[in-house]
Amino acid sequence: MTDYSNLIKDIFSENGLDGLLNTPVLEKFNILIDRMLTVNEKMNITSITDGEDVILKHIADSATVVRYIPKNAKLLDVGTGGGFPSLPIAILRPDVSVYGLDSTAKKLKYIDETAELLSLDNLKTISGRAEVFGKSVNYRERFDVVTARAVASLNVLTELCLPFVKLGGLFISMKGSSAADEIALARSGVIQLGGSKFEDIEFTLHYNDKVMQRHLVISKKTKNTPDSFPRIYSRIAKKPL
């Protein structure tokens, strides 16, 4: 197994994230990278296969959300895919109960097996669609934080994610350079769904000659989401709020 510890330290330090690291965390990240790249040879988890890129674009990027998660929070990662940001969050914040929601069973199986390998008792997966579970009394307005990364445009994500957020909780969308345009399109919908005006936290992730423009787009739940939302996905996609 390749030891990525020094590279992880360098990239995290370069981006002001080094305070999150310790020996057990580094060990878990090494195992995560090795397993992901091995499984990726047979199953499409990510198109990013260079170790440096995996650390910068997946792990460090996922870590940027950690400081905004309250202590002992219950967090839902909508469209978790290959486990980003859910796996890094679970590694970095053992106090947080992380739930990864996705409709692709084989990716959830990979996350479950990886969580078991890493002894992440604080990470569980949920198989299904967000617009269905967002109507369920067991999940609706039950989470302190809901995250989404590389899933859909913000005006679609807002309707899929805000129904899960409890009053006073946060919806955090992890976005790239299109964030400003997406916020403009989602501005009225977020209010209609019970969220506050978006706060846009802009920053760059960088290492050597690689620079990524990133945004954490955050809305606080101030009112209950009306019962009519979320709508069926075809309506959300065809006519976003």
Side-chain angles (χ1 to χ4, degrees), residues 10-164:
D10 287 347
I11 292 174
F12 270 57
S13 178
E14 187 77 15
N15 291 283
L17 300 166
D18 45 314
L20 298 173
L21 297 177
N22 55 42
T23 299
V25 164
L26 283 169
E27 290 175 352
K28 284 182 168 59
F29 279 150
N30 269 301
I31 295 169
L32 171 60
I33 296 166
D34 182 71
R35 172 167 168 75
M36 185 181 73
L37 293 179
T38 299
V39 174
N40 199 63
E41 294 175 0
K42 299 179 180 179
M43 183 177 81
N44 182 29
I45 299 171
T46 177
S47 60
I48 300 170
T49 56
D50 173 74
E52 183 178 298
D53 284 345
V54 168
I55 296 165
L56 179 66
K57 297 179 181 180
H58 279 324
I59 294 177
D61 187 40
S62 295
T64 61
V65 76
V66 165
R67 68 188 66 181
Y68 300 97
I69 303 171
K71 188 174 178 60
N72 300 320
K74 184 178 179 182
L75 179 145
L76 179 69
D77 183 28
V78 172
T80 191
F84 297 102
S86 55
L87 280 164
I89 290 172
I91 290 170
L92 291 165
R93 291 289 302 274
D95 63 300
V96 175
S97 298
V98 181
Y99 295 81
L101 172 65
D102 205 274
S103 59
T104 306
K106 64 180 182 179
K107 288 189 175 181
L108 294 182
K109 182 181 178 183
Y110 157 77
I111 293 172
D112 288 337
E113 291 172 349
T114 304
E116 184 175 359
L117 179 67
L118 296 172
S119 300
L120 297 177
D121 297 331
N122 61 327
L123 175 57
K124 309 294 182 187
T125 60
I126 305 167
S127 178
R129 298 187 62 84
E131 69 273 21
V132 175
F133 278 87
K135 292 277 193 178
S136 168
V137 295
N138 294 321
Y139 297 95
R140 187 179 179 89
E141 299 189 333
R142 297 282 183 167
F143 295 90
D144 301 293
V145 179
V146 175
T147 58
R149 177 180 181 263
V151 178
S153 60
L154 187 61
N155 55 0
V156 171
L157 276 179
T158 303
E159 185 167 347
L160 294 176
C161 294
L162 262 178
F164 291 107

Side-chain angles (χ1 to χ4, degrees), residues 68 176-177 179-180 199-204 213-217:
Y68 300 97
S177 57
E199 177 185 5
D200 181 12
I201 300 171
E202 182 179 1
F203 58 98
T204 60
Q213 183 182 358
R214 302 297 294 158
H215 296 254
L216 294 179
V217 183

